[in-house]
Amino acid sequence: GTPPHRGAHRRRRTSYLSMLLKFALLILSLCHAAPLPSCESDTSSHCLGDGADLSPEGIEACLQALGEAGRSAGCNAYLSMLAGCGAEIGSGGVCAESHMNGETAACLVQRTPEEQLSEGCRAALPEKEEAKGLYGIYWKDGKRELDEDEVGELVGDELDTYLRWIKRKKGKKTDRGKERDYAVRTAKKAAASKQIVAKAEEAARAAKQAGEGAKAQQEAAMKAAEAAAADAVATDMTKTLKPFTRSNIKAFAAQAVKQVKDEL
């Protein structure tokens, strides 16, 4: 039979591997979770340092003094959540203890069932991200071929990913004429998409340089993207470029705003 010491070694090894697997799954879940609203970066950047009032009241006053335009989107969401969930984080509230321990957002957003929150608090919570795109909708239950309208919803890296997959899948079996037409349509859409994003970036950048806040930059990018998308379809002499959807335009604007935000 197996010597006792070898059996014990195997059990320890199995237990260790199991622990590593659980730890890896935890890390993956944290990496894919949407970030919770927070004012941590705003506080570090604007409300600390020599002479600063580091009391909770002092930090709150500092953050409020920054104004909506001077705070990050995450901080604005956090402050709105505090204002709407006063009963939940106040004395005797469902998240009172967590609020005292600095875990307010985690308690309100992740740990507490919505039915235990007041209507005003639920309205103040950050919106849950809507499933979208290639992996969020179309390939949620496994990879499959998309129809032309579904492909029309894809932009950027997701469109490139799908086209590479379909090319590998079909290979030489694809009719050359249809493949060529399909390639022309997708290439035209990709080129138009880049132009639309560029126009949206110009608008967002101009708004930023004018001192406008994040919301105004987003609105400027949306208007520019809508106009550029309509112009691209109207000026398409081949009439093969289909109108861009609202989802497309939102994605273009978001990409543009992110690019401008990341610029120094």
Side-chain angles (χ1 to χ4, degrees), residues 32-95:
H32 285 81
L36 292 171
S38 169
C39 287
E40 184 176 348
S41 62
D42 301 70
T43 301
S44 298
S45 300
H46 304 289
C47 302
L48 302 182
D50 294 338
D53 183 353
L54 302 182
S55 69
E57 295 78 11
I59 291 176
E60 181 178 359
C62 172
L63 292 173
Q64 293 292 351
L66 293 174
E68 183 177 350
R71 295 188 297 260
S72 66
C75 187
N76 284 329
Y78 182 75
L79 294 179
S80 296
M81 189 170 63
L82 294 187
C85 299
E88 284 77 6
I89 63 178
S91 178
V94 67
C95 289

Side-chain angles (χ1 to χ4, degrees), residues 36-37 78 81 95 98 102-112:
L36 292 171
Y78 182 75
M81 189 170 63
C95 289
S98 295
E103 299 177 347
T104 311
C107 180
L108 292 170
V109 177
Q110 296 176 335
R111 300 175 191 163
T112 306

